[in-house]
Amino acid sequence: MRYLFERYELDSGRRELYRDTSLVALAPQTFDLLDYLIRNRERVVSKDELITAIWKGRCVSDAALTTRLNAARSAIGDSGENQRLIKTLARKGYRFIGTVQEARSAPALTVPDRQEEAAKPDLPIPDKPSLAVLPFTNLSSDPEQEYFADGMVEDIITGLSRSKSLFVIARQSTFTYRGKAIDIRQVGRELGVRYVLEGSVRKSGDRVRISGQLIEATSGAHLWADRFESHLNDIFDLQDQVTSSVIGALFPQLERAEIERAKRKPNENLRAYDYYLRALSSFYQFTREHNVEALKLTRLAVEIDPALAAAYALGAYCYLQRKIFGWTIDADQELNDTRWMARRAIELDKDDPIVLVRAGQAIEAVLHEVDEGVALVVRAHELDPNLAIARLTIGWGHIRSGNIEAALKQFHAGGRLSPMDPFLFMMQTGIAFAHFLADRYEDGSSWAKLAVLDRPNYLNAQFILAACLAMSGRVGEARLIGARLMEARPALRVSTLVPKITRFYRPDHLEKIRQACVNMGLTP
């Protein structure tokens, strides 16, 4: 039987829907729903009846029904707002209200039968993290949210694509799955990716809720899920906020998943990129022993692949970690090694934001070539505005120039972009120091305590906590921390510290730091 309405033709025998002579792609359940509503168009069909007919009585959520209903409406040019063809009757059910003609004969204008598509070969999965972002499902009756969801997915794809350490499938490929019943494993095989991000958008009143989940396509395992909710005051501002939040939350999860995958590989099967990932895992432990291990692994990576820029940049970053945690062994040798690894990384890849930010921060803080280091980090930020760690260097640049509020804005933005970031304790330390310089010692103490709790062996956070306590009159507490600092760093003295940092701070800020050192009991 063929059902003709407006410019559409639904052929129940061939299970196909045409608009004029063009075939409209429909998921099987969406076709079944539309077919059932048309065949029973003389009456209202209840929700329970539809579930029994389409899902054979299986327990399904309202969201699943709404999704299929919206897909059916979209396929025939209808919407939940217009309800030109499919009408929702509150608390009663649904009815197809379009004018329909039935035809049993073959159509006058025949459409060539579709040839069966050849089975698509599985695409190889790249070495680096590979991701497909599927169209987000609109769970609202408001068709405007479809545009919002599509725009947000495009922005997420664009934002993730800025990172050269990720392999991200283009929108044109992922949007071919719109409205289809999909198997995540099949999507992974067809697109050649290890991870798939899917999500939904729901509008209720003046609020919009966006949910997302990251799935490992090879196993179907859920790696991460979250939801973001906000007022619908400015849809474009909201789209930007959610996009940044999703990217910021997603990147550390992808990195963590890749690290775990590399750690599970047998040693005899390791390649350069696997050694790099293992090095990154050791680096993130933030201990002296793991720092040594990370350096060893980066060297193994570049021995196998001398063109792996990310491994050179991570090696330079390891020397930066040594410096800020006080683990330096041979200062002159480590200075030379940092210079070689950072510059080699930049020679190999001048457009990878991660390479630029790591090499730039090492050049700035280890080599003290501040202008060049900052310029590289700023370049990384321009290439990828969602790169949270770049905000750290930009924020400290504002502190050096005395612009405290601009520094706070950068540190807070970094924390918001990546709330699970391994470097969050450094963002918190920057916020604490900015409050210290602005005479907001209680605020500074609170943020410094967060950093100390997160990373107790990061002595800079302890120093700033002691400084805030010392300047707020809590001298006893400050001196306890000061004593621990001198025990950990016997060379720490006011007479050596202040001249070392003189060129980085304004005279009034430098005097504040000197006074705090005296108050916390550091050796003159």
Side-chain angles (χ1 to χ4, degrees):
M1 179 67 72
R2 293 184 297 116
Y3 301 96
L4 312 177
F5 56 95
E6 295 189 348
R7 299 169 62 185
Y8 294 89
E9 174 187 330
L10 186 140
D11 190 324
S12 60
R14 298 168 68 174
R15 293 183 60 78
E16 292 175 339
L17 174 70
Y18 295 94
R19 183 178 185 272
D20 296 329
T21 59
S22 299
L23 185 67
V24 179
L26 278 184
Q29 287 177 339
T30 304
F31 181 92
D32 290 342
L33 185 146
L34 183 59
D35 180 55
Y36 193 84
L37 288 175
I38 291 175
R39 284 190 287 108
N40 293 278
R41 61 190 178 277
E42 301 302 327
R43 60 185 179 85
V44 176
V45 177
S46 70
K47 180 180 77 173
D48 290 342
E49 182 182 346
L50 268 180
I51 290 173
T52 300
I54 309 304
W55 283 273
K56 312 306 180 190
R58 294 201 313 272
C59 182
V60 297
S61 65
D62 287 349
L65 177 59
T66 302
T67 299
R68 293 293 175 243
L69 191 66
N70 286 342
R73 280 177 167 144
S74 177
I76 57 176
D78 200 1
S79 70
E81 181 180 25
N82 297 330
Q83 298 191 13
R84 188 182 77 259
L85 295 171
I86 300 177
K87 186 172 182 62
T88 300
L89 292 93
R91 294 180 295 279
K92 294 185 182 300
Y94 312 93
R95 186 179 163 215
F96 191 92
I97 57 174
T99 301
V100 177
Q101 292 182 327
E102 295 184 5
R104 294 186 181 275
S105 59
L109 178 62
T110 60
V111 180
D113 289 336
R114 289 177 299 159
Q115 295 185 354
E116 290 296 318
E117 294 184 10
K120 297 179 181 177
D122 293 352
L123 293 175
I125 295 177
D127 282 344
K128 58 185 177 181
S130 47
L131 175 73
V133 185
L134 297 179
F136 280 21
T137 303
N138 178 21
L139 300 180
S140 310
S141 59
D142 183 358
E144 289 297 320
Q145 299 316 303
E146 197 81 46
Y147 301 111
F148 171 76
D150 287 354
M152 189 173 60
V153 169
E154 285 192 47
D155 283 354
I156 290 171
I157 291 172
T158 301
L160 291 171
S161 299
R162 290 191 180 107
S163 173
K164 291 185 70 176
S165 61
L166 294 179
F167 178 86
V168 184
I169 296 294
R171 174 195 186 279
Q172 288 86 345
S173 294
T174 58
F175 270 59
T176 61
Y177 292 91
R178 178 198 291 283
K180 296 180 180 179
I182 59 171
D183 177 344
I184 294 296
R185 291 182 179 87
Q186 182 181 347
V187 171
R189 291 193 300 269
E190 291 178 353
L191 297 179
V193 294
R194 184 166 281 114
Y195 306 102
V196 172
L197 176 69
E198 61 177 9
S200 63
V201 176
R202 183 192 299 273
K203 176 177 177 290
S204 178
D206 64 345
R207 299 188 70 81
V208 172
R209 174 180 293 174
I210 294 92
S211 299
Q213 54 184 349
L214 179 67
I215 302 167
E216 186 175 32
T218 51
S219 66
H222 284 64
L223 303 177
W224 165 84
D226 207 346
R227 67 183 185 189
F228 310 89
E229 191 167 325
S230 183
H231 283 285
L232 190 62
N233 296 325
D234 187 319
I235 196 164
F236 296 111
D237 283 348
L238 176 61
Q239 185 171 308
D240 290 343
Q241 291 169 22
V242 173
T243 298
S244 295
S245 297
V246 170
I247 293 172
L250 195 61
F251 194 88
Q253 297 296 333
L254 282 169
E255 189 175 71
R256 191 173 295 121
E258 284 290 282
I259 287 172
E260 290 303 315
R261 184 181 61 81
K263 285 162 67 176
R264 291 194 299 267
K265 269 193 171 186
N267 286 349
E268 58 271 18
N269 294 340
L270 292 180
R271 293 176 291 180
Y273 188 70
D274 298 315
Y275 280 116
Y276 162 75
L277 289 172
R278 288 191 174 193
L280 196 57
S281 174
S282 293
F283 177 91
Y284 283 150
Q285 302 307 307
F286 296 100
T287 69
R288 187 193 300 264
E289 297 74 22
H290 282 99
N291 176 276
V292 172
E293 179 70 10
L295 265 173
K296 184 179 80 172
L297 291 166
T298 58
R299 292 184 183 277
L300 286 171
V302 299
E303 282 177 15
I304 296 172
D305 183 358
L308 186 57
Y312 288 101
L314 181 57
Y317 224 37
C318 286
Y319 287 115
L320 170 59
Q321 188 183 68
R322 282 193 180 194
K323 175 166 182 163
I324 65 175
F325 278 86
W327 302 330
T328 299
I329 299 170
D330 183 336
D332 290 338
Q333 182 61 49
E334 293 184 16
L335 198 71
N336 291 332
D337 288 348
T338 303
R339 179 177 289 107
W340 170 67
M341 297 190 95
R343 301 213 181 282
R344 183 61 180 146
I346 297 164
E347 286 172 10
L348 289 168
D349 199 333
K350 296 181 175 65
D351 297 315
D352 185 336
I354 294 290
V355 168
L356 290 173
V357 79
R358 287 176 179 164
Q361 288 179 341
I363 288 170
E364 179 211 12
V366 180
L367 306 184
H368 296 302
E369 296 172 9
V370 177
D371 291 343
E372 181 185 354
V374 170
L376 290 169
V377 175
V378 169
R379 166 72 173 153
H381 174 66
E382 290 170 349
L383 290 170
D384 185 359
N386 297 298
L387 188 60
I389 192 62
R391 306 275 183 158
L392 190 66
T393 297
I394 296 170
W396 281 103
H398 286 307
I399 280 182
R400 285 194 292 270
S401 66
N403 195 341
I404 303 304
E405 297 310 313
L408 281 169
K409 182 178 178 181
Q410 290 297 326
F411 294 141
H412 281 296
R416 283 196 303 271
L417 279 170
S418 188
M420 303 297 291
D421 201 285
F423 292 102
L424 190 61
F425 69 95
M426 297 184 76
M427 304 287 186
Q428 294 163 338
T429 302
I431 293 170
F433 190 61
H435 284 304
F436 165 78
L437 293 178
D439 301 333
R440 297 189 288 261
Y441 303 121
E442 290 302 321
D443 288 338
S445 297
S446 298
W447 282 98
K449 285 176 183 175
L450 289 175
V452 170
L453 285 171
D454 186 10
R455 196 63 55 188
N457 63 340
Y458 183 50
L459 299 186
N460 287 353
Q462 294 201 32
F463 175 84
I464 292 169
L465 174 58
C468 288
L469 293 172
M471 298 299 282
S472 65
R474 296 159 67 179
V475 176
E477 295 174 68
R479 293 201 166 194
L480 285 173
I481 299 172
R484 291 200 297 269
L485 288 170
M486 288 188 291
E487 184 180 351
R489 301 265 183 93
L492 182 61
R493 285 174 168 75
V494 179
S495 59
T496 56
L497 174 65
V498 173
K500 191 182 295 184
I501 63 175
T502 295
R503 64 192 180 106
F504 297 121
Y505 298 104
R506 287 180 359 188
D508 56 328
H509 289 165
L510 199 64
E511 174 57 26
K512 190 188 294 288
I513 294 169
R514 189 198 66 78
Q515 187 60 53
C517 288
V518 171
N519 291 358
M520 74 174 76
L522 295 190
T523 302

